[in-house]
Every structure is written in C-alpha cells, then in structure tokens.
Amino acid sequence: MLYRGTMEGVALSYARVAAQLQQVAGQTRRILASGRVTQDLPAWLQVLADSLGAPVVPVTIKRSTLHGTALLALDTLAPGVERRPVDVGPTYEPVPARAQYYADRAARYEELYRSVIAGS
C-alpha cells in the first residue's frame, strides 16, 4: 500500500506540473516517458497515464537524457535537418473508469500542498 501511494504521489506531482505547463505551452501532443524507472517499473506508466488523463509512451532507448540533449543541440546546429523517430514501447492509455479516483486524489493533493506552502 505504501509503494502504491508513493507511485501515485509522484504521478500526481507530475500531473500538477503538466497542468502548469499546459497553461503556458498549450495542449500536449504526446507524453514520452524515459529512464530506468520506466524500464524497471512499467506498471508505474499506467498510474502515470491514469493520473495525467493522457496516453504515455515509453522511450526504449538507452541514454535517453543524452539523446534529448543532442536533439536540443541539433535545434541550434541543424534546425532544418529531419530527426529520426525515437524507439518507443507500447502506449499506456488512461482508463476512463479511474478518472474520478485520480481527480479526487489530485484535489486532495492540491489541498495538502497549499496547506504546506501557506504554513511556510
């Protein structure tokens, strides 16, 4: 139960950040998840998809941070050059029946977060 709560807490934290990013950057086209956790704990990707209410696609390449850094550098060095698509695994779709559960958890998370921040 503690493990599941931790996974949900991290996912809800990401969902909070995603909502803030959406306010300034607009609707998300796709969510790519990378790193060792996504490889070692694929069930967490379902929790993430459910809490975000959006599909999550795992990136399956090694050294994904280095790959992302190289892509950012290429935007400056070779802006017009087409990029090879990244290798990905199966998409984790949010389960609609879980939406209310995660909406309730997100509201509680926000309430607790604000009480901690207000107390600082």
Side-chain angles (χ1 to χ4, degrees):
M1 183 93 109
L2 183 60
Y3 172 75
R4 176 68 185 210
T6 301
M7 287 179 27
E8 288 184 2
V10 171
L12 289 169
S13 180
Y14 282 6
R16 188 172 189 278
V17 171
Q20 292 172 343
L21 287 172
Q22 209 168 40
Q23 291 175 355
V24 295
Q27 187 63 34
T28 306
R29 290 182 294 170
R30 65 182 179 160
I31 298 168
L32 297 173
S34 64
R36 181 150 186 178
V37 172
T38 64
Q39 302 295 316
D40 292 349
L41 304 172
W44 185 74
L45 294 174
Q46 185 62 58
V47 172
L48 187 59
D50 290 338
S51 65
L52 290 169
V56 175
V57 182
V59 174
T60 58
I61 63 171
K62 291 186 178 194
R63 295 185 176 57
S64 57
T65 302
L66 181 61
H67 182 262
T69 302
L71 289 176
L72 288 173
L74 282 173
D75 283 345
T76 300
L77 299 172
V81 176
E82 186 176 339
R83 310 291 188 253
R84 181 186 172 278
V86 68
D87 295 333
V88 297
T91 300
Y92 290 79
E93 297 286 343
V95 177
R98 297 178 187 153
Q100 188 59 52
Y101 171 83
Y102 282 101
D104 293 345
R105 298 285 68 78
R108 180 72 175 134
Y109 180 98
E110 190 64 31
E111 178 184 326
L112 291 170
Y113 182 83
R114 290 192 186 283
S115 69
V116 169
I117 296 302
S120 297

